[in-house]
Amino acid sequence: MIDTDAIRSAFAALADEAPPSDRIRASLTIRARRHRQRRLILRLAGAGTVAAATGVAATGVWRLTQPPASRFPVLHAGPGGGWLEVPLRFRPAWLPRSYGEGKRTVIVDGTQAPVLSRDWQPGTANQAISLLIGWHPSLDPGRPSGRPTTVDVNGVPGRLVQVGDQTPGTYLTWQPPGQPQLLMSVHTDDVADAQQDLALRVARSVRPDPEVTWVGPRFGWLPPDLATVPWRLNHGFEDTNWTQEVAMSGPGGRQLLIRMGTSAAMRLENTFATTPIRIREWSGWQVPEMKQLFLTLPDGVEVFARLDDGPGDEQAMPTLIRIIEEFEFGPWPDMSWIGGR
């Protein structure tokens, strides 16, 4: 015999536990939008009885009302380590359900790492919470601007700015005594008030983190105009593959990019004329028209490099080849932190 009251009570309890409908709609919308996090630092820089059957059905309904579970891959990269140790310094003690760390970015200036950025996201969903630790003058052009609101972050005054209209990005800056500046950014499809509440809750949970990360690659040679320019190192993942990216912007808009990873998709199929090339013990292709190199290292890691000097620069390709000839890849990064809280 079916106990109607028990079934009604069960579904009422499920309704109580369900997230608000606007959060569900936002999650669906997020999947259709491009990832907008990377704005600041990238500019430098997921049976038996009737009663048992009712329980199974109720569980299915409960799952439909919950945010999607995290979907972080287990990445097999390298041993980690490198020539420059970078303290992580801080991390949030509280994050929304299913969020895990998905990317780390370090700005390198000479032999120092003045800035570290860490991103947390819900699996592969297109939203992120980022903590930028420290500052560098090269970031000034991307500093968030807007009407500031003064807020309290554990007794320290903070400056909150929201940029955009319908779904703004929220930026919260504060500096604990004796510590570097901290910048929390939140990019979700929530309304402005909800983003502000989320940024404040995460910021107020920030605690010291004694762990370290590493910079493994470095340049052996650079042309004079790039030799003193700060550069950035990104660690992250695409699908089930790890990626590592070194990038810099030089005077006059010159852009250098070196991407490394285990995805075969990095061997892009080109419609331009390509020429085989061998650099040290590495074989690959060069695309002079696009000032690009594609290499496969002996351990199977794919490398893509590009030096964007503008049209008509006949020295761009020889310069790029020499940069790669003397580039030190270092140990491949330890990616076991992916998905961690």
Side-chain angles (χ1 to χ4, degrees), residues 286-318:
Q286 60 175 319
V287 189
E289 296 88 346
M290 301 298 293
K291 302 158 189 173
Q292 295 175 344
L293 284 172
F294 298 85
L295 299 171
T296 300
L297 304 190
D299 57 4
V301 173
E302 303 292 337
V303 177
F304 164 76
R306 177 173 180 172
L307 180 63
D308 187 357
D309 253 353
D313 185 352
E314 297 180 356
Q315 294 303 310
M317 205 65 202

mmCIF file of all heavy atoms in Angstrom, residues 286-318:
data_model
loop_
_atom_site.group_PDB
_atom_site.id
_atom_site.type_symbol
_atom_site.label_atom_id
_atom_site.label_comp_id
_atom_site.label_asym_id
_atom_site.label_seq_id
_atom_site.Cartn_x
_atom_site.Cartn_y
_atom_site.Cartn_z
ATOM 1 N N GLN A 286 57.637 24.683 -39.001
ATOM 2 C CA GLN A 286 57.556 26.126 -38.865
ATOM 3 C C GLN A 286 56.577 26.676 -39.900
ATOM 4 O O GLN A 286 56.428 26.120 -40.986
ATOM 5 C CB GLN A 286 58.922 26.777 -39.041
ATOM 6 C CG GLN A 286 59.591 26.531 -40.388
ATOM 7 C CD GLN A 286 60.878 27.299 -40.528
ATOM 8 O OE1 GLN A 286 60.957 28.458 -40.133
ATOM 9 N NE2 GLN A 286 61.903 26.663 -41.098
ATOM 10 N N VAL A 287 55.903 27.740 -39.514
ATOM 11 C CA VAL A 287 54.949 28.406 -40.394
ATOM 12 C C VAL A 287 55.388 29.865 -40.488
ATOM 13 O O VAL A 287 54.929 30.712 -39.717
ATOM 14 C CB VAL A 287 53.507 28.298 -39.867
ATOM 15 C CG1 VAL A 287 52.518 28.792 -40.914
ATOM 16 C CG2 VAL A 287 53.184 26.868 -39.450
ATOM 17 N N PRO A 288 56.296 30.190 -41.391
ATOM 18 C CA PRO A 288 56.853 31.540 -41.435
ATOM 19 C C PRO A 288 55.805 32.629 -41.622
ATOM 20 O O PRO A 288 55.933 33.716 -41.056
ATOM 21 C CB PRO A 288 57.822 31.481 -42.631
ATOM 22 C CG PRO A 288 58.191 30.036 -42.745
ATOM 23 C CD PRO A 288 56.950 29.293 -42.367
ATOM 24 N N GLU A 289 54.758 32.343 -42.422
ATOM 25 C CA GLU A 289 53.739 33.360 -42.650
ATOM 26 C C GLU A 289 53.041 33.781 -41.363
ATOM 27 O O GLU A 289 52.613 34.918 -41.214
ATOM 28 C CB GLU A 289 52.687 32.845 -43.645
ATOM 29 C CG GLU A 289 53.224 32.577 -45.034
ATOM 30 C CD GLU A 289 53.777 31.175 -45.179
ATOM 31 O OE1 GLU A 289 53.989 30.509 -44.135
ATOM 32 O OE2 GLU A 289 54.013 30.752 -46.330
ATOM 33 N N MET A 290 52.936 32.850 -40.421
ATOM 34 C CA MET A 290 52.264 33.127 -39.146
ATOM 35 C C MET A 290 53.252 33.292 -37.999
ATOM 36 O O MET A 290 52.837 33.495 -36.867
ATOM 37 C CB MET A 290 51.295 31.985 -38.820
ATOM 38 C CG MET A 290 50.218 31.759 -39.860
ATOM 39 S SD MET A 290 49.145 33.203 -40.041
ATOM 40 C CE MET A 290 48.335 33.210 -38.441
ATOM 41 N N LYS A 291 54.564 33.168 -38.301
ATOM 42 C CA LYS A 291 55.602 33.283 -37.274
ATOM 43 C C LYS A 291 55.354 32.293 -36.135
ATOM 44 O O LYS A 291 55.347 32.643 -34.953
ATOM 45 C CB LYS A 291 55.672 34.711 -36.747
ATOM 46 C CG LYS A 291 55.939 35.729 -37.855
ATOM 47 C CD LYS A 291 55.505 37.112 -37.476
ATOM 48 C CE LYS A 291 55.578 38.035 -38.699
ATOM 49 N NZ LYS A 291 55.013 39.359 -38.420
ATOM 50 N N GLN A 292 55.146 31.022 -36.518
ATOM 51 C CA GLN A 292 54.783 29.973 -35.569
ATOM 52 C C GLN A 292 55.721 28.783 -35.690
ATOM 53 O O GLN A 292 56.244 28.492 -36.771
ATOM 54 C CB GLN A 292 53.352 29.495 -35.820
ATOM 55 C CG GLN A 292 52.283 30.549 -35.579
ATOM 56 C CD GLN A 292 50.910 30.052 -35.960
ATOM 57 O OE1 GLN A 292 50.762 29.060 -36.664
ATOM 58 N NE2 GLN A 292 49.877 30.751 -35.495
ATOM 59 N N LEU A 293 55.876 28.092 -34.572
ATOM 60 C CA LEU A 293 56.608 26.834 -34.507
ATOM 61 C C LEU A 293 55.742 25.782 -33.833
ATOM 62 O O LEU A 293 55.041 26.084 -32.855
ATOM 63 C CB LEU A 293 57.900 26.996 -33.698
ATOM 64 C CG LEU A 293 59.091 27.697 -34.339
ATOM 65 C CD1 LEU A 293 60.181 27.904 -33.286
ATOM 66 C CD2 LEU A 293 59.633 26.892 -35.514
ATOM 67 N N PHE A 294 55.795 24.561 -34.342
ATOM 68 C CA PHE A 294 55.133 23.418 -33.711
ATOM 69 C C PHE A 294 56.190 22.341 -33.510
ATOM 70 O O PHE A 294 56.822 21.904 -34.472
ATOM 71 C CB PHE A 294 54.005 22.875 -34.589
ATOM 72 C CG PHE A 294 52.902 23.857 -34.838
ATOM 73 C CD1 PHE A 294 52.997 24.783 -35.858
ATOM 74 C CD2 PHE A 294 51.770 23.861 -34.040
ATOM 75 C CE1 PHE A 294 51.980 25.697 -36.097
ATOM 76 C CE2 PHE A 294 50.744 24.772 -34.262
ATOM 77 C CZ PHE A 294 50.852 25.696 -35.298
ATOM 78 N N LEU A 295 56.405 21.912 -32.268
ATOM 79 C CA LEU A 295 57.433 20.932 -31.971
ATOM 80 C C LEU A 295 56.844 19.795 -31.147
ATOM 81 O O LEU A 295 55.910 19.998 -30.366
ATOM 82 C CB LEU A 295 58.584 21.565 -31.186
ATOM 83 C CG LEU A 295 59.354 22.698 -31.862
ATOM 84 C CD1 LEU A 295 60.300 23.343 -30.853
ATOM 85 C CD2 LEU A 295 60.120 22.184 -33.071
ATOM 86 N N THR A 296 57.413 18.605 -31.309
ATOM 87 C CA THR A 296 57.099 17.473 -30.448
ATOM 88 C C THR A 296 58.382 17.073 -29.735
ATOM 89 O O THR A 296 59.373 16.707 -30.377
ATOM 90 C CB THR A 296 56.550 16.282 -31.253
ATOM 91 O OG1 THR A 296 55.367 16.681 -31.934
ATOM 92 C CG2 THR A 296 56.214 15.126 -30.319
ATOM 93 N N LEU A 297 58.372 17.155 -28.413
ATOM 94 C CA LEU A 297 59.556 16.806 -27.638
ATOM 95 C C LEU A 297 59.675 15.288 -27.520
ATOM 96 O O LEU A 297 58.693 14.565 -27.727
ATOM 97 C CB LEU A 297 59.484 17.455 -26.266
ATOM 98 C CG LEU A 297 59.307 18.987 -26.247
ATOM 99 C CD1 LEU A 297 59.489 19.525 -24.835
ATOM 100 C CD2 LEU A 297 60.251 19.676 -27.216
ATOM 101 N N PRO A 298 60.866 14.777 -27.190
ATOM 102 C CA PRO A 298 61.056 13.321 -27.138
ATOM 103 C C PRO A 298 60.088 12.601 -26.206
ATOM 104 O O PRO A 298 59.767 11.428 -26.427
ATOM 105 C CB PRO A 298 62.506 13.177 -26.664
ATOM 106 C CG PRO A 298 63.171 14.424 -27.135
ATOM 107 C CD PRO A 298 62.140 15.506 -27.011
ATOM 108 N N ASP A 299 59.612 13.259 -25.144
ATOM 109 C CA ASP A 299 58.688 12.594 -24.231
ATOM 110 C C ASP A 299 57.233 12.766 -24.647
ATOM 111 O O ASP A 299 56.316 12.403 -23.905
ATOM 112 C CB ASP A 299 58.880 13.106 -22.800
ATOM 113 C CG ASP A 299 58.707 14.616 -22.684
ATOM 114 O OD1 ASP A 299 58.356 15.261 -23.694
ATOM 115 O OD2 ASP A 299 58.931 15.151 -21.587
ATOM 116 N N GLY A 300 56.997 13.312 -25.838
ATOM 117 C CA GLY A 300 55.639 13.424 -26.359
ATOM 118 C C GLY A 300 54.937 14.727 -26.038
ATOM 119 O O GLY A 300 53.815 14.944 -26.502
ATOM 120 N N VAL A 301 55.545 15.601 -25.271
ATOM 121 C CA VAL A 301 54.927 16.891 -24.966
ATOM 122 C C VAL A 301 54.942 17.759 -26.222
ATOM 123 O O VAL A 301 55.946 17.849 -26.928
ATOM 124 C CB VAL A 301 55.662 17.594 -23.815
ATOM 125 C CG1 VAL A 301 55.135 19.016 -23.618
ATOM 126 C CG2 VAL A 301 55.503 16.797 -22.529
ATOM 127 N N GLU A 302 53.796 18.376 -26.498
ATOM 128 C CA GLU A 302 53.654 19.239 -27.657
ATOM 129 C C GLU A 302 53.996 20.682 -27.281
ATOM 130 O O GLU A 302 53.654 21.144 -26.193
ATOM 131 C CB GLU A 302 52.225 19.176 -28.206
ATOM 132 C CG GLU A 302 51.766 17.782 -28.581
ATOM 133 C CD GLU A 302 52.512 17.209 -29.777
ATOM 134 O OE1 GLU A 302 53.063 18.008 -30.575
ATOM 135 O OE2 GLU A 302 52.543 15.980 -29.918
ATOM 136 N N VAL A 303 54.629 21.389 -28.193
ATOM 137 C CA VAL A 303 55.026 22.781 -27.963
ATOM 138 C C VAL A 303 54.555 23.627 -29.139
ATOM 139 O O VAL A 303 54.768 23.262 -30.309
ATOM 140 C CB VAL A 303 56.552 22.915 -27.795
ATOM 141 C CG1 VAL A 303 56.931 24.382 -27.622
ATOM 142 C CG2 VAL A 303 57.038 22.080 -26.618
ATOM 143 N N PHE A 304 53.932 24.749 -28.824
ATOM 144 C CA PHE A 304 53.550 25.733 -29.824
ATOM 145 C C PHE A 304 54.176 27.063 -29.428
ATOM 146 O O PHE A 304 54.110 27.466 -28.261
ATOM 147 C CB PHE A 304 52.033 25.877 -29.890
ATOM 148 C CG PHE A 304 51.567 27.118 -30.607
ATOM 149 C CD1 PHE A 304 51.614 27.194 -31.985
ATOM 150 C CD2 PHE A 304 51.098 28.216 -29.901
ATOM 151 C CE1 PHE A 304 51.197 28.333 -32.653
ATOM 152 C CE2 PHE A 304 50.674 29.367 -30.554
ATOM 153 C CZ PHE A 304 50.725 29.429 -31.936
ATOM 154 N N ALA A 305 54.803 27.744 -30.365
ATOM 155 C CA ALA A 305 55.432 29.036 -30.072
ATOM 156 C C ALA A 305 55.099 30.027 -31.173
ATOM 157 O O ALA A 305 55.035 29.660 -32.363
ATOM 158 C CB ALA A 305 56.943 28.884 -29.934
ATOM 159 N N ARG A 306 54.905 31.277 -30.760
ATOM 160 C CA ARG A 306 54.628 32.326 -31.734
ATOM 161 C C ARG A 306 55.228 33.644 -31.251
ATOM 162 O O ARG A 306 55.145 33.974 -30.064
ATOM 163 C CB ARG A 306 53.116 32.490 -31.941
ATOM 164 C CG ARG A 306 52.785 33.640 -32.905
ATOM 165 C CD ARG A 306 51.327 33.705 -33.253
ATOM 166 N NE ARG A 306 51.071 34.819 -34.160
ATOM 167 C CZ ARG A 306 49.915 35.044 -34.775
ATOM 168 N NH1 ARG A 306 48.903 34.226 -34.562
ATOM 169 N NH2 ARG A 306 49.757 36.079 -35.583
ATOM 170 N N LEU A 307 55.817 34.377 -32.178
ATOM 171 C CA LEU A 307 56.335 35.713 -31.905
ATOM 172 C C LEU A 307 55.619 36.670 -32.840
ATOM 173 O O LEU A 307 55.853 36.654 -34.057
ATOM 174 C CB LEU A 307 57.845 35.773 -32.127
ATOM 175 C CG LEU A 307 58.504 37.127 -31.863
ATOM 176 C CD1 LEU A 307 58.346 37.534 -30.399
ATOM 177 C CD2 LEU A 307 59.981 37.092 -32.252
ATOM 178 N N ASP A 308 54.741 37.474 -32.298
ATOM 179 C CA ASP A 308 53.926 38.382 -33.099
ATOM 180 C C ASP A 308 54.602 39.741 -33.126
ATOM 181 O O ASP A 308 54.539 40.513 -32.177
ATOM 182 C CB ASP A 308 52.520 38.484 -32.495
ATOM 183 C CG ASP A 308 51.589 39.287 -33.374
ATOM 184 O OD1 ASP A 308 52.054 39.809 -34.407
ATOM 185 O OD2 ASP A 308 50.397 39.403 -33.038
ATOM 186 N N ASP A 309 55.274 40.028 -34.235
ATOM 187 C CA ASP A 309 56.023 41.276 -34.380
ATOM 188 C C ASP A 309 55.348 42.252 -35.318
ATOM 189 O O ASP A 309 55.885 43.309 -35.598
ATOM 190 C CB ASP A 309 57.427 40.967 -34.928
ATOM 191 C CG ASP A 309 58.480 41.117 -33.850
ATOM 192 O OD1 ASP A 309 58.144 41.571 -32.763
ATOM 193 O OD2 ASP A 309 59.638 40.767 -34.118
ATOM 194 N N GLY A 310 54.215 41.871 -35.848
ATOM 195 C CA GLY A 310 53.585 42.729 -36.838
ATOM 196 C C GLY A 310 54.003 42.334 -38.239
ATOM 197 O O GLY A 310 55.003 41.632 -38.442
ATOM 198 N N PRO A 311 53.276 42.786 -39.246
ATOM 199 C CA PRO A 311 53.576 42.388 -40.629
ATOM 200 C C PRO A 311 54.891 42.973 -41.118
ATOM 201 O O PRO A 311 55.322 44.061 -40.718
ATOM 202 C CB PRO A 311 52.389 42.973 -41.409
ATOM 203 C CG PRO A 311 51.911 44.123 -40.578
ATOM 204 C CD PRO A 311 52.128 43.701 -39.149
ATOM 205 N N GLY A 312 55.543 42.205 -41.992
ATOM 206 C CA GLY A 312 56.738 42.718 -42.649
ATOM 207 C C GLY A 312 58.036 42.555 -41.889
ATOM 208 O O GLY A 312 59.075 43.026 -42.355
ATOM 209 N N ASP A 313 58.032 41.921 -40.725
ATOM 210 C CA ASP A 313 59.275 41.750 -39.958
ATOM 211 C C ASP A 313 59.939 40.451 -40.391
ATOM 212 O O ASP A 313 59.508 39.363 -40.019
ATOM 213 C CB ASP A 313 58.968 41.732 -38.462
ATOM 214 C CG ASP A 313 60.240 41.688 -37.626
ATOM 215 O OD1 ASP A 313 61.332 41.522 -38.204
ATOM 216 O OD2 ASP A 313 60.133 41.815 -36.402
ATOM 217 N N GLU A 314 61.002 40.560 -41.156
ATOM 218 C CA GLU A 314 61.674 39.371 -41.678
ATOM 219 C C GLU A 314 62.513 38.667 -40.628
ATOM 220 O O GLU A 314 62.940 37.526 -40.837
ATOM 221 C CB GLU A 314 62.539 39.754 -42.874
ATOM 222 C CG GLU A 314 61.740 40.312 -44.053
ATOM 223 C CD GLU A 314 62.624 40.678 -45.227
ATOM 224 O OE1 GLU A 314 63.863 40.553 -45.075
ATOM 225 O OE2 GLU A 314 62.088 41.071 -46.267
ATOM 226 N N GLN A 315 62.790 39.318 -39.498
ATOM 227 C CA GLN A 315 63.620 38.719 -38.462
ATOM 228 C C GLN A 315 62.817 37.993 -37.394
ATOM 229 O O GLN A 315 63.392 37.401 -36.486
ATOM 230 C CB GLN A 315 64.480 39.799 -37.801
ATOM 231 C CG GLN A 315 65.520 40.408 -38.724
ATOM 232 C CD GLN A 315 66.451 39.338 -39.305
ATOM 233 O OE1 GLN A 315 67.001 38.519 -38.577
ATOM 234 N NE2 GLN A 315 66.612 39.355 -40.622
ATOM 235 N N ALA A 316 61.489 38.043 -37.465
ATOM 236 C CA ALA A 316 60.672 37.428 -36.415
ATOM 237 C C ALA A 316 60.914 35.930 -36.312
ATOM 238 O O ALA A 316 61.085 35.394 -35.218
ATOM 239 C CB ALA A 316 59.189 37.717 -36.664
ATOM 240 N N MET A 317 60.961 35.234 -37.462
ATOM 241 C CA MET A 317 61.115 33.787 -37.419
ATOM 242 C C MET A 317 62.502 33.379 -36.929
ATOM 243 O O MET A 317 62.621 32.520 -36.042
ATOM 244 C CB MET A 317 60.820 33.186 -38.794
ATOM 245 C CG MET A 317 60.360 31.742 -38.723
ATOM 246 S SD MET A 317 58.771 31.616 -37.883
ATOM 247 C CE MET A 317 58.831 29.901 -37.373
ATOM 248 N N PRO A 318 63.603 33.959 -37.437
ATOM 249 C CA PRO A 318 64.915 33.618 -36.863
ATOM 250 C C PRO A 318 65.013 33.934 -35.382
ATOM 251 O O PRO A 318 65.647 33.190 -34.624
ATOM 252 C CB PRO A 318 65.887 34.469 -37.696
ATOM 253 C CG PRO A 318 65.186 34.724 -38.977
ATOM 254 C CD PRO A 318 63.735 34.819 -38.627
#
